[in-house]
Amino acid sequence: MKRLVWMGIGVAIGVIAFRKVTEAQANLGPEGLNRAVGRLADGVYDFADAVRAGMRERETDLRSALGVESQDLARR
């Protein structure tokens, strides 16, 4: 009975190790690198878009606080 338990534990460890090795190979290969760079580029784009939206909102707030007409924005 003890051998069966130890055999089950060994099989479980082997399966987990195989999955980890397969995952590492997928992440280290060219496709994994492309996915990582793509996710990074998407994150940078989303961040820049959020910054631009915040700048527009802040400019609108400042213009209304200073009493500057919003038509000045359209002339630019």
Side-chain angles (χ1 to χ4, degrees), residues 26-71:
N27 289 335
L28 294 177
E31 295 85 16
L33 182 61
N34 286 341
R35 280 192 305 271
V37 170
R39 284 192 300 258
L40 178 66
D42 289 344
V44 168
Y45 178 78
D46 291 343
F47 176 74
D49 195 35
V51 168
R52 278 188 233 110
M55 286 174 26
R56 272 188 244 109
E57 181 180 337
R58 181 66 178 148
E59 185 175 0
T60 303
D61 292 345
L62 290 172
R63 286 183 174 277
S64 77
L66 294 173
V68 178
E69 292 183 18
S70 61
Q71 292 177 354

Side-chain angles (χ1 to χ4, degrees), residues 3-18:
R3 288 183 182 177
L4 188 60
V5 170
W6 285 111
M7 185 178 198
I9 291 172
V11 168
I13 290 172
V15 168
I16 291 170
F18 179 76

